[in-house]
Amino acid sequence: MKIVVVGGVAAGASVAARARRLDEDAEIVVLERGHHVSFANCGLPYHVGEVITDRSRLLLQTPDSLREMLDIDVRTGQEVVAIDRDARTVRVREVDGGREYDEPYDALALCPGADPVRPPLAGIDDPRVHVLRRIGDMDRIKAVVDEACAHRKADGRAPLRAVVVGAGYIGLELAENLHHRGARVHVVELAGQILPPLDHEIAVPVEQHLRSRGIDVRLSTAAAAFEPTPEALRVELQDSTVLEADLVVLAVGVRPSVELARGAGLELGPHGGVLVDTHMGTSDPHIWAAGDAVETPHTVLGDLRLAPLAGPANRQGRVAADNMCGRDSEYRSTQGTSVVKVFDMVAGGTGANERQLVAAGVAYRAVHVHPSGHAGYYPGTATMHLKVLFDPESGRLLGAQACGFDGIDKRLDVLATALRLGATVFDLEELELAYAPPFGAAKDPVNMAGFVAANTIRGDLRLWYAQDYPQAVEGARLLDVRTAEEFDLWHVPGAQNVPLGELRAACETWDRDQPVRLYCAVGFRSYLAYRALVQRGFTDVATLSGGSQTFRAWHDVEPAEPSTVPTTPYGEAAEVHAAVVAHRGSGVTVELDCAGLACPGPLMKLASTVKGLAPGDEVRVHVSDPGFANDGPAWAARNGHALLAMDPEGPGYVARFRKGGAAAPAPVATAAPAQAGPGKNSFVVFSGDLDKVLAAFIIANGALAMGEEVSMFFTFWGLNTLRRSDPPQRDKPLMDAMFGRMMPQGADQLTLSQMNMFGAGTAMIKKVMKDNAVPSLPELVASAQAGGARLIACTMTMDLLGIASSDLIDGVELGGVATFLGEAAQSGTTLFI
Ligand code: FAD
């Protein structure tokens, strides 16, 4: 038998390899129009990002290795242009040279994959607009990124500006990898959310994470046109925004490659893919097809769909080969299991999503749970968002989605397996899953979802849903059963706060026939409240699925207006004076580890720690709950504390707060009364020499740590310290542009006043500082700013040297001589550096 395979990557290579294992006598020819076979498409974004550094690792097999190992005749650079079904031959054209020949077959496998969509937009053929599908695409994109990186190193050129069009799996992987290489990345997505295959509330935490890592995300808009200019490719969006780009990558989906099948008169499916039966046979008994080019039944919905995924392509190829070689194996359906890493987060799903169920008119119910990836007391975990969709009567699983930081892939795979085997939510309750603190919980998140879902079917729990707000609460008593402190930070508009512990007493006088809609943070406390109310005779009670965690993904509600119910404030009344928080720190910093604690744990621990501190003391808190990005600032503002910094750290953040209230007298100042004056210091930073500016900032930070105030006036060469290393592009007069290029651009580029030795001395001193854990100059600048130092740029110098305020780092004030003299007049010490 002679088997000819068109396409030599995922599905095609699977057909050929499996066919050889089943039939040692078959003649097997693989015709691939590209120059590589069996390469790892899925790894392409990671080589662009240099996470996978060795390009050859993506080439899983070569024509030679396949010939040697499996005796397969693999021909690259050979495009099949037509099929003669009567003669059972394919017409082949050599890509280099154009020679054509016919290749006969007994069995033909069509595995041509899919082609990336390139919408017909003005300017789309500009060479800066790319797609990512094959090795060559990757090489071209990587060359652009490599060149930008090389220039940045050599001549300090601004970072590459990249626009990724499409926020699906490939678009986001690419965005992360481009960012990883130092590019400034915009992601543009037509849908109102990223990751369109997932439901909104699962996509939102990932979107927030993406933004927190510095990616500019633009939703509900699309690229409308590309206009080349000498400096950049202008990407015009449908919402009239214009983004300037050096690189554009389109990741807006793929279309099945069916020209051959259509030309040969094979039947196509409703979505334009090749129609196949469960044996992967086409409408011609001698032709099989597999991979991205075919349509297969959806496991849950039953109708035919395209599913461009590597796992299905490989398994379909195997089934096609089985049947070509006389076996009777079947590929029954595709459930679309998929997963993606987005910086530190992971997200994915399996089965049908909620939108698909609605569109198909399938009855379903959803539950949302937010457990930790593993035991909260073991380091390295964070809250996950898990949604399970199921038949409201039988409990059969219809779909599941999750996002979070640890253990997401494991839960998705368990749920995908359960769904494939026809399991119900009652089965999920019973699953016995691997557990030790670093890996899970004694009640695994999958068990938890099973418990909640099964409770709804048994009638032990009734849910209401965030997307149905506000209709779902109309005419109802909307009850928030969290603590008063949580309520005071944020609550659903219209809610009444009755903490769970007070509910039993409070409800005694309520009308038992008025509907009650409950919620808490994740759904557990409100479940307890639900049980308490129902057993007291309340007739219409429901609790919010997923609690406020899920609610906040749907509704962008501002932090709470001041509470009308009595609350126990975190801070004492005397502390609630934002004005006095301002500049002074006491020099005391407490480290606080709240990693692994879910909301409201971090806030409770932070509040009790701050209570024991003196005004002006600081707390550096490590939190793995991503929701802290909203809650932390709100808590600080409400209680009169200052949030000094909030930086991403693993799944969450590291944040620095300074306790409000009048600062305690600085210990050193009282111990050293010789330090006279009003406790204020002024600096004129005239020099642009690294060593002198370092000295200025070391003294300034010391003064701040002693509770003193600091003003620093930057003039002439000293002003270069405050320049941004990557200022936004702007048109400059020739002289300004020349000055700009000749002078150091930011604190990191200053050089030593002596022993610079063409930069070698500067590099050495930086290394010595690093080895001795001395903060770098940029770090000292940041810490002085965080400590409340006023950094003032001399406006006259700015005019002389052509420096605009946008060229300066954030937080710098502009001022003239009068500003400086005013500061100096109030200072005990004035230094000219
Ligand atoms: P392909 O792998 O595209 O192979 C088809 C081959 O046929 C091509 O090499 C093409 O040159 C050749 N061909 C086409 N027409 C002809 C012709 N007329 N003559 C000769 N040769 C022809 N899936 C996942 O499940 N997980 C992931 O993480 C993931 N990441 C991805 C990342 C990227 C960047 C890309 C591009 C895809 C990713 N995918 C992922 C999708 C997955 O790679 C595809 O679903 C899978 O490769 C499809 O296999 P296929 O054999 O059908 O098509």
Side-chain angles (χ1 to χ4, degrees):
M1 178 169 65
K2 179 167 178 181
I3 296 173
V4 171
V5 183
V6 182
V9 188
S14 293
V15 171
R18 175 73 174 165
R20 170 58 72 231
R21 292 198 294 275
L22 297 181
D23 188 346
E24 193 55 27
D25 298 325
E27 183 187 348
I28 304 173
V29 179
V30 174
L31 299 167
E32 166 57 55
R33 73 176 167 203
H35 291 96
H36 302 93
V37 284
S38 195
F39 64 86
N41 320 45
C42 312
L44 302 183
Y46 298 98
H47 184 54
V48 172
E50 292 196 335
V51 175
I52 299 169
T53 47
D54 182 356
R55 180 179 179 277
S56 70
R57 299 287 301 273
L58 299 174
L59 308 174
L60 307 176
Q61 298 290 343
T62 63
D64 285 345
S65 69
L66 287 170
R67 186 169 296 117
E68 205 173 286
M69 201 169 44
L70 294 167
D71 189 22
I72 295 172
D73 177 5
V74 179
R75 304 180 201 163
T76 55
Q78 313 286 311
E79 179 172 17
V80 175
V81 291
I83 304 167
D84 183 338
R85 288 168 56 188
D86 295 330
R88 282 198 227 152
T89 58
V90 290
R91 184 88 186 142
V92 188
R93 180 164 53 217
E94 290 179 351
V95 174
D96 301 327
R99 185 181 76 93
E100 292 197 0
Y101 61 92
D102 289 326
E103 189 71 38
Y105 65 82
D106 299 311
L108 176 65
L110 289 182
C111 308
D115 299 310
V117 172
R118 289 183 74 103
L121 302 174
I124 192 131
D125 294 329
D126 187 283
R128 284 165 287 192
V129 180
H130 297 254
V131 293
L132 181 60
R133 178 79 194 179
R134 322 216 167 279
I135 293 277
D137 301 330
M138 174 194 75
D139 289 341
R140 279 185 287 276
I141 295 171
K142 187 163 186 297
V144 176
V145 181
D146 288 348
E147 199 199 339
C149 287
H151 274 295
R152 197 157 150 70
K153 242 190 204 149
D155 53 31
R157 193 185 279 183
L160 183 83
R161 296 160 297 178
V163 174
V164 176
V165 184
Y169 291 82
I170 295 175
L172 294 193
E173 286 176 351
L174 202 53
E176 176 185 344
N177 280 284
L178 289 170
H179 180 273
H180 192 58
R181 299 289 311 278
R184 285 215 194 115
V185 186
H186 305 275
V187 173
V188 179
E189 168 59 52
L190 179 62
Q193 63 169 72
I194 63 164
L195 294 172
L198 301 182
D199 285 328
H200 180 82
E201 67 272 37
I202 301 296
V204 165
V206 189
E207 179 197 323
Q208 288 166 347
H209 183 66
L210 197 62
R211 291 185 195 274
S212 80
R213 294 303 187 259
I215 304 291
D216 173 50
V217 182
R218 286 155 194 265
L219 302 175
S220 306
T221 187
F226 303 95
E227 191 203 329
T229 68
E231 297 81 32
L233 184 63
R234 288 162 56 88
V235 185
E236 292 171 18
L237 306 186
Q238 279 175 357
D239 64 7
S240 305
T241 322
V242 175
L243 303 173
E244 306 229 311
D246 307 303
L247 170 77
V248 174
V249 187
L250 300 173
V252 292
V254 292
R255 244 184 232 119
S257 177
V258 291
E259 296 75 20
L260 276 179
R262 188 186 287 119
L266 297 178
E267 264 186 68
L268 301 183
H271 302 284
V274 180
L275 198 63
V276 287
D277 58 21
T278 54
H279 303 290
M280 304 314 295
T282 67
S283 49
D284 181 313
H286 302 285
I287 305 179
W288 285 258
D292 286 1
V294 305
E295 293 186 12
T296 50
H298 190 279
T299 309
V300 173
L301 302 166
D303 57 348
L304 292 174
R305 296 191 178 219
L306 295 162
L309 290 165
N314 276 278
R315 287 182 290 113
Q316 290 161 8
R318 182 183 164 94
V319 170
D322 277 1
N323 287 282
M324 286 170 158
C325 297
R327 296 209 176 178
D328 184 24
S329 60
E330 278 190 300
Y331 182 90
R332 279 169 295 172
S333 66
T334 304
Q335 66 197 74
T337 307
S338 51
V339 66
V340 66
K341 169 185 169 312
V342 182
F343 290 89
D344 293 324
M345 268 193 114
V346 180
T350 187
N353 65 33
E354 192 165 350
R355 288 190 310 280
Q356 290 170 330
L357 292 170
V358 170
V362 176
Y364 71 93
R365 186 173 295 152
V367 291
H368 303 81
V369 291
H370 303 278
S372 302
H374 60 253
Y377 55 82
Y378 188 88
T381 191
T383 303
M384 72 165 66
H385 308 269
L386 174 59
K387 174 177 184 176
V388 172
L389 295 150
F390 56 97
D391 183 291
E393 289 192 353
S394 68
R396 186 174 69 90
L397 286 179
L398 302 174
Q401 298 164 40
C403 72
F405 292 84
D406 56 310
I408 297 297
D409 54 339
K410 155 169 149 165
R411 273 58 187 225
L412 284 174
D413 280 346
V414 169
L415 287 160
T417 308
L419 189 147
R420 175 60 65 146
L421 299 178
T424 66
V425 294
F426 304 108
D427 296 319
L428 299 188
E429 290 185 294
E430 286 183 26
L431 288 183
E432 185 181 319
L433 300 170
Y435 162 62
F439 306 109
K443 281 185 206 146
D444 192 89
V446 173
N447 298 134
M448 297 294 291
F451 296 146
V452 178
N455 279 343
T456 69
I457 299 181
R458 291 192 188 105
D460 292 338
L461 177 66
R462 217 178 116 220
L463 297 171
W464 66 278
Y465 293 94
Q467 63 264 49
D468 299 333
Y469 175 87
Q471 299 85 340
V473 302
E474 266 166 26
R477 184 188 287 275
L478 177 58
L479 273 190
D480 181 328
V481 296
R482 300 174 303 158
T483 61
E485 289 86 354
E486 290 169 86
F487 182 85
D488 214 28
L489 282 181
W490 178 93
H491 57 254
V492 176
Q496 174 190 358
N497 182 219
V498 181
L500 178 62
E502 298 164 19
L503 181 70
R504 290 176 178 87
C507 74
E508 283 308 318
T509 56
W510 296 348
D511 173 3
R512 280 167 165 64
D513 290 325
Q514 184 189 2
V516 180
R517 296 292 173 262
L518 297 159
Y519 75 91
C520 64
V522 296
F524 181 64
R525 283 172 287 178
S526 61
Y527 167 54
L528 301 180
Y530 174 95
R531 298 299 308 155
L533 291 176
V534 167
Q535 290 178 59
R536 277 173 175 71
F538 284 81
T539 54
D540 181 1
V541 188
T543 173
L544 175 61
S545 184
S548 61
Q549 288 254 1
T550 300
F551 187 93
R552 291 175 81 167
W554 281 100
H555 304 281
D556 196 12
V557 183
E558 289 295 307
E561 66 274 13
S563 162
T564 49
V565 295
T567 59
T568 313
Y570 282 115
E572 291 120 36
E575 296 168 1
V576 189
H577 293 299
V580 280
V581 171
H583 300 304
R584 288 177 178 238
S586 64
V588 174
T589 302
V590 174
E591 290 284 328
L592 183 63
D593 179 11
C594 294
L597 291 183
C599 175
L603 283 179
M604 306 298 260
K605 207 166 161 185
L606 178 60
S608 72
T609 305
V610 166
K611 232 176 204 161
L613 299 179
D617 291 353
E618 292 176 11
V619 186
R620 223 168 88 91
V621 56
H622 304 263
V623 181
S624 56
D625 173 14
F628 193 75
N630 292 325
D631 293 344
W635 171 82
R638 195 155 284 270
N639 291 284
H641 308 307
L643 172 61
L644 303 178
M646 170 92 82
D647 299 310
E649 183 184 65
Y653 296 88
V654 54
R656 235 174 82 224
F657 295 92
R658 182 180 295 157
K659 179 163 175 162
V668 180
T670 44
Q675 163 96 40
K680 182 161 182 164
N681 304 274
S682 304
F683 294 69
V684 180
V685 185
F686 171 86
S687 168
D689 293 331
L690 174 65
D691 35 359
K692 295 175 186 165
V693 180
L694 268 173
F697 273 97
I698 287 170
I699 299 168
N701 277 297
L704 290 166
M706 288 163 61
E708 298 190 8
E709 289 181 44
V710 168
S711 294
M712 303 179 81
F713 186 72
F714 291 81
T715 185
F716 280 92
W717 315 123
L719 186 56
N720 288 320
T721 315
L722 302 185
R723 290 178 67 195
R724 275 181 198 278
S725 57
D726 53 349
Q729 294 268 333
R730 62 186 175 88
D731 288 330
K732 293 181 195 163
L734 183 65
M735 286 296 280
D736 291 1
M738 275 171 55
F739 264 130
R741 269 198 294 275
M742 279 154 48
M743 294 184 307
Q745 202 162 335
D748 212 23
Q749 285 193 14
L750 302 188
T751 53
L752 285 178
S753 60
Q754 295 179 28
M755 296 194 335
N756 184 39
M757 298 181 294
F758 301 105
T762 301
M764 273 164 57
I765 195 83
K766 285 185 177 173
K767 182 171 183 314
V768 171
M769 286 169 64
K770 192 169 175 204
D771 291 346
N772 289 287
V774 177
S776 66
L777 181 55
E779 286 166 343
L780 285 169
V781 174
S783 115
Q785 281 189 299
R790 289 182 71 191
L791 306 189
I792 305 164
C794 168
T795 45
M796 185 205 65
T797 308
M798 291 172 70
D799 290 344
L800 282 181
L801 301 184
I803 295 175
S805 56
S806 62
D807 295 335
L808 300 176
I809 59 174
D810 290 339
V812 172
E813 300 171 44
L814 307 188
V817 179
T819 313
F820 165 64
L821 292 177
E823 289 297 298
Q826 298 168 20
S827 299
T829 308
T830 300
L831 299 174
F832 184 93
I833 293 177

